Amino acid sequence: MELPNSARAVVIGGGVAGCSVAYHLARLGWSEVILVEQHELTEGTTWHSAGFVGQLRSTVTQTKMIMYSAGLYPELTELTGMDPGWRGVGGLRLATTTERVEESLRLAGAGETYGLGLSVLSGAEAKEMLPLLDVRDVRAALWLPGDGWLDPALLARALAAGAEKLGVRIFTGTRVTGLDVVGGEVSGVRLALGAEEWSVQADTVVIAAGAASGRVGRLAGVDIPVVPIKHQYVVTEPFDVPSSMPTVRDPDNIVYFREEGGGILVGGYIRNPEIWDTGHPLEEPRTLFAADMPKFQESWESAARRVPALGRTGIVKVVHGPEAFTPDGEFLLGETAVRGLWTAAGFCVHGLAAAGGVGKIMAEWIVDGSPEYDVFGMDLRRFGGHARSSSWARAKALDSYSKYYDIVYPGEERTAARPLRRSPAWVRHAELGAEFGEKSGWERVNWFASNADPSPEAREAPGGRGALEDQEARETRGDREARPAGWAGRVWSPAIRQECLATRDAAGLFDQTSFSKLEISGHQALMRLQRVCAGQLDRPPGSIVYTQLLNERGGIEADLTVTRLAEDRFRLVTGTAFGVHDAAWLRGHGLDVRDVTSAHACYCLWGPRALDILGTLSDDDLTFGYMRAREISVGNVPVLAQRVTFVGEFGWELYCPSEYGLTLWDALMEAGTPYGMRPAGYRAIDSMRLEKGYRVWGMDITPETTPVEAGLGFAVAKDKDFLGRSALEAAARRLACLVLDDPRQVCLVGEPVRLGGAPASRVTSGGYGHRVERSIAYAYLPAGTAPGDRAEVGVTGTWVGATVVAEPLYDPASDRIRHLPA
């Protein structure tokens, strides 16, 4: 079969991901799709996959992808007549510690919200299902009847056959030697077929080359942070293990196993993983490394304890091959910095399970402009420019692999490749005992240890506004009793409460330099922004507009503020991790975007004494209105002051050129301390924004939710057209605020919500509101749900009563925000 000179799309890679992308592109009606593979199909990383399929994952989207994949297999069988290799034997996930039992109960709650028919079993019940197990230390086990395993070669061949049935042309033995890029867009692929060289013109190219994806990306000058890591499993000799044996994961002992040919396949995630250090990964077909049984000893001994028969069984095969890991253990999907050049890579051992979903998402993204699911957590654009550093990517990937089976507690911070990006005031934060977290490479203060003292003397400096005596007593008692129960109280400090109360009673100073800041200018800036923003931006210079960017379905692609700095100049401020994503979305709709994040420090001064504090440093008029911006001087520092808040208190976001950042922080601290101001961190922000009902993109609002559903209809302009407007309809569900009956039971994310005893939703975000003394959660509920209605929330296996309430809980008339402090 001769290669064509042009194609609508070229898919690079003949593993399950590439075959699935090609199949789904063709299923959406694209013709002239070709797939090229340098070896034979599956001979990169697919062929040696252990094939486990666990439907319940840590994110909603991954779970949906795997559930979709399971539904795809009958379709493939009907289309091709081929067995895709699915073995639906169910799966057991064991828990041997109290903490793992808690994790299992949380997973079970999440499973209810997905409609997965899972059960929590005792150790004895798990043994009844699989008598081979020694369960003396098993405290609980999750039974997931929808789990199983796949034969990787059979799945890839079925996907390939399905693609060919739909018109895709597949060329094996065809090596990619170059990618042509013109004006920032991909224009073609250069190929070598034996001694013959060939060029194929195409304006859509998908890199799905597994561990070799990084090398292929570099042919076009783009960075795909895939790190090949050596992963090992063994297969025993047959000893009459039934083919119906469920898959087993024993994460406390970092081991997994299933039936294979009458024996057992045993794999594990070692604590000291090794990178495959080569500049040309997968150059040879079916690459394997020499067996390294000393490294595998812990996993094998764990398996032998769990299945004593293994101690009497020989190993007949060792598979030690490369797996494509990523810096955070999540997939790498989406469009690269070169327009039209896409990637589907970095599947971190569990890509086989999600292969169908990967193809669906990628095809929808390419054909329709956005996929059905929220994929930001897998979007290649979640990383900043530092992701091009191989040393950074390696350090993060090794850390991710070595802790793959560890329990990830909410709020827990990893330390690999840190610190990296730091605010000008970082040194002052460290001096104050800041507990740092990391986001998109930025070091951000979670809380200050120096604020942990709850005493009135520590809380009330001279000149501060005191609380009533009985309120002080209640708050001091609250500090003793405020630690949430269970997981929510594991990564916690009483400083969080003190920072919230100081912001309410005096002021808080927050370093939000990590905000992503984007600038758009030019004579067409307003017109083009008006098209992509749902809010009305045609307002005088100095105006601030809170708005969303919507996709064609009306889903929220970004949530940000737009400040009109001049007639033809706008600054967009979005979340720390979202700048690359949001800039790419805007550029994809014809806007010229300049990322100025690193050019400006940003400190937020919020609270009733904020006007007094800033007034000691500035001779400018500070009484300008809410959602307005003005250039002022703070001491000797030029500042753009924006009258906007994310905590529900009076004050400003204060932007200055980065070189002034340390000076500005010092000036604000010196001026604010006599008024009772405290420096504060992101955990306090999150508590206070919940009390005000402020949404967070990626949690409360996503590309799968509309402004109408999210209660953000007030931010949608009624007097203009914009992208996604035609899709906005009356909502069948609305984001609702819940207050839990037990204030010490605090939601994190993903807890199941029941109405009338029936599953209804999952928690999008939750926490404790220290100003209102309530445990707060948000969830999408049927539109007819009203304040006063009762619900139940599953918090780590315990059903807690809750009441739907009107929002916001704190300062419902927003008097503290809109008016000058008394």
Side-chain angles (χ1 to χ4, degrees):
M1 185 164 51
E2 187 174 282
L3 278 163
N5 293 317
S6 65
R8 190 169 188 184
V10 177
V11 179
I12 301 170
V16 288
C19 292
S20 183
V21 171
Y23 170 79
H24 283 86
L25 282 172
R27 200 172 74 161
L28 288 183
W30 273 33
S31 58
E32 299 181 41
V33 175
I34 70 170
L35 181 148
V36 297
E37 163 58 47
Q38 63 177 334
H39 306 304
E40 295 300 316
L41 294 181
T42 82
E43 291 192 341
T45 52
T46 292
W47 72 277
H48 62 70
S49 170
F52 279 66
V53 176
Q55 293 192 69
L56 184 58
R57 311 303 302 184
S58 59
T59 68
V60 175
T61 297
Q62 275 200 17
T63 301
K64 288 179 178 178
M65 289 167 68
I66 296 172
M67 293 174 70
Y68 168 83
S69 298
L72 176 66
Y73 307 137
E75 177 183 311
L76 285 173
T77 303
E78 182 177 348
L79 178 64
T80 67
M82 298 177 65
D83 174 14
W86 170 240
R87 307 292 181 262
V89 293
L92 289 167
R93 182 182 176 92
L94 309 182
T96 63
T97 65
T98 300
E99 294 78 10
R100 190 69 70 175
V101 172
E102 291 175 346
E103 181 195 50
S104 298
L105 292 172
R106 285 184 56 80
L107 287 170
E112 175 177 307
T113 72
Y114 306 139
L116 294 176
L118 55 77
S119 306
V120 181
L121 308 180
S122 66
E125 289 171 321
K127 186 173 180 64
E128 287 180 14
M129 301 192 75
L130 185 56
L132 286 169
L133 295 178
D134 181 338
V135 297
R136 285 175 292 180
D137 62 338
V138 174
R139 300 186 178 199
L142 280 182
W143 165 243
L144 296 109
D147 282 8
W149 59 277
L150 283 160
D151 182 301
L154 289 179
L155 175 61
R157 288 171 188 151
L159 285 164
E164 288 182 308
K165 285 269 189 182
L166 297 175
V168 174
R169 301 171 70 187
I170 296 177
F171 299 88
T172 58
T174 305
R175 187 163 47 92
V176 176
T177 60
L179 294 171
D180 296 324
V181 178
V182 178
E185 298 185 25
V186 71
S187 61
V189 182
R190 280 171 277 147
L191 304 168
L193 182 56
E196 185 179 5
E197 294 188 354
W198 206 278
S199 291
V200 178
Q201 293 182 343
D203 55 16
T204 298
V205 177
V206 182
I207 300 172
S213 294
R215 181 189 65 79
V216 177
R218 285 190 290 275
L219 296 175
V222 301
D223 300 297
I224 302 173
V226 166
V227 179
I229 293 181
K230 298 179 179 181
H231 185 75
Q232 193 168 203
Y233 66 81
V234 303
V235 179
T236 73
E237 62 189 10
F239 60 104
D240 298 324
V241 177
S243 60
S244 60
M245 169 189 164
T247 64
V248 180
R249 290 174 175 81
D250 189 355
D252 289 321
N253 295 291
I254 61 172
V255 67
Y256 60 81
F257 48 92
R258 66 166 175 82
E259 183 270 341
E260 172 84 1
I264 291 183
L265 179 155
V266 178
Y269 294 91
I270 61 176
R271 296 295 185 188
N272 54 340
E274 183 181 349
I275 289 172
W276 182 24
D277 199 359
T278 177
H280 300 281
L282 307 183
E283 192 167 36
E284 299 298 323
R286 294 182 168 257
T287 298
L288 287 178
F289 313 114
D292 190 347
M293 295 311 293
K295 276 199 169 184
F296 196 69
Q297 183 176 358
E298 182 181 359
S299 295
W300 176 255
E301 290 178 349
S302 293
R305 286 195 302 272
R306 185 63 61 216
V307 181
L310 289 175
R312 305 182 296 274
T313 306
I315 294 172
V316 296
K317 182 168 69 172
V318 178
V319 178
H320 192 194
E323 292 287 354
F325 260 74
T326 68
D328 59 2
E330 297 290 347
F331 299 171
L332 297 175
L333 307 179
E335 194 172 22
T336 71
V338 172
R339 289 189 298 277
L341 181 62
W342 300 74
T343 189
F347 296 117
C348 308
V349 182
H350 56 281
L352 199 76
V358 166
K360 167 188 163 66
I361 281 173
M362 290 296 297
E364 291 172 347
W365 212 339
I366 292 166
V367 174
D368 300 328
S370 61
E372 178 185 356
Y373 306 150
D374 169 25
V375 293
F376 177 74
M378 307 174 199
D379 193 329
L380 176 68
R381 297 168 297 187
R382 66 187 181 271
F383 299 120
H386 52 277
R388 72 180 304 276
S389 164
S390 61
S391 61
W392 177 85
R394 288 179 174 206
K396 298 290 279 188
L398 286 171
D399 181 66
S400 177
Y401 180 103
S402 67
K403 298 172 181 175
Y404 191 79
Y405 265 163
D406 285 4
I407 296 173
V408 180
Y409 293 106
E412 188 176 82
E413 300 285 350
R414 299 282 178 88
T415 59
R418 292 177 58 191
L420 183 60
R421 306 172 78 181
R422 288 180 268 188
S423 157
W426 179 88
V427 63
R428 297 291 189 262
H429 305 335
E431 291 168 358
L432 289 170
E435 186 71 28
F436 288 103
E438 181 269 335
K439 197 162 194 176
S440 196
W442 281 98
E443 293 294 313
R444 310 194 314 171
V445 177
N446 284 335
W447 64 77
F448 288 94
S450 56
N451 286 329
D453 184 354
S455 68
E457 292 78 11
R459 191 167 65 251
E460 254 187 78
R465 177 183 294 180
L468 296 174
E469 184 173 344
D470 60 341
Q471 186 177 358
E472 286 182 344
R474 185 172 68 251
E475 289 169 357
T476 302
R477 183 177 68 252
D479 283 324
R480 294 194 303 269
E481 300 172 351
R483 181 182 293 273
W487 278 26
R490 293 187 68 94
V491 184
W492 182 88
S493 168
I496 301 166
R497 176 180 178 81
Q498 295 309 312
E499 291 168 9
C500 292
L501 299 184
T503 305
R504 179 196 68 187
D505 297 336
L509 182 61
F510 302 82
D511 187 342
Q512 295 202 273
T513 296
S514 66
F515 271 157
S516 292
K517 312 164 195 84
L518 310 173
E519 289 201 0
I520 296 171
S521 59
H523 72 280
Q524 292 188 319
L526 175 61
M527 178 187 71
R528 291 181 174 175
L529 277 171
Q530 284 280 68
R531 171 61 182 157
V532 297
C533 292
Q536 176 56 261
L537 305 185
D538 192 5
R539 299 183 181 185
S543 298
I544 304 169
V545 176
Y546 170 59
T547 186
Q548 291 78 42
L549 311 182
L550 308 184
N551 56 39
E552 293 282 3
R553 300 187 308 275
I556 300 171
E557 290 287 344
D559 181 70
L560 38 75
T561 59
V562 180
T563 302
R564 193 170 192 177
L565 301 175
E567 290 289 339
D568 61 352
R569 182 169 164 241
F570 298 81
R571 181 180 296 169
L572 285 63
V573 177
T574 186
T576 298
F578 308 145
V580 177
H581 168 275
D582 294 0
W585 180 266
L586 292 163
R587 290 183 185 119
H589 290 84
L591 289 106
D592 185 13
V593 182
R594 189 162 63 100
D595 190 328
V596 297
T597 298
S598 299
H600 305 278
C602 175
Y603 307 129
C604 298
L605 176 61
W606 290 318
R609 304 310 300 266
L611 185 61
D612 297 327
I613 294 166
L614 201 61
T616 67
L617 296 170
S618 180
D619 295 329
D620 292 294
D621 180 7
L622 303 176
T623 62
F624 56 91
Y626 179 58
M627 299 302 281
R628 297 287 297 172
R630 183 170 294 181
E631 297 281 357
I632 65 172
S633 293
V634 178
N636 299 326
V637 178
V639 167
L640 174 68
Q642 298 201 161
R643 179 88 180 279
V644 65
T645 180
F646 199 56
V647 301
E649 300 288 354
F650 174 90
W652 306 269
E653 294 173 355
L654 303 171
Y655 295 87
C656 71
S658 290
E659 66 268 25
Y660 296 98
L662 184 57
T663 301
L664 179 59
W665 178 269
D666 286 345
L668 291 167
M669 282 294 296
E670 183 178 357
T673 299
Y675 288 91
M677 183 195 80
R678 293 197 183 201
Y682 273 82
R683 292 289 291 274
I685 290 174
D686 196 51
S687 170
M688 291 186 281
R689 72 95 185 168
L690 281 167
E691 295 171 308
K692 284 297 292 180
Y694 295 148
R695 283 44 168 157
V696 170
W697 191 81
M699 297 170 63
D700 306 304
I701 51 178
T702 73
E704 297 182 46
T705 58
T706 71
V708 178
E709 293 173 323
L712 298 176
F714 66 88
V716 175
K718 306 296 190 294
D719 56 350
K720 70 164 193 172
D721 191 22
F722 53 85
L723 182 66
R725 178 174 182 172
S726 61
L728 298 182
E729 301 173 349
R733 59 174 188 164
R734 294 294 294 267
L735 188 61
C737 182
L738 297 164
V739 169
L740 278 65
D741 294 347
D742 183 350
R744 294 194 69 238
Q745 294 292 338
V746 174
C747 293
L748 299 163
V749 173
E751 290 86 354
V753 179
R754 291 177 177 174
L755 293 176
S761 187
R762 68 178 65 89
V763 170
T764 59
S765 61
Y768 187 81
H770 295 279
R771 293 177 299 186
V772 300
E773 303 284 5
R774 298 288 186 273
S775 176
I776 306 165
Y778 276 83
Y780 281 92
L781 299 176
T785 308
D789 288 352
R790 294 288 292 168
E792 291 178 298
V793 182
V795 185
T796 316
T798 300
W799 287 101
V800 182
T803 302
V804 178
V805 298
E807 57 170 329
L809 287 167
Y810 182 72
D811 186 26
S814 292
D815 291 330
R816 297 173 71 94
I817 296 171
R818 297 182 180 278
H819 306 306
L820 296 177

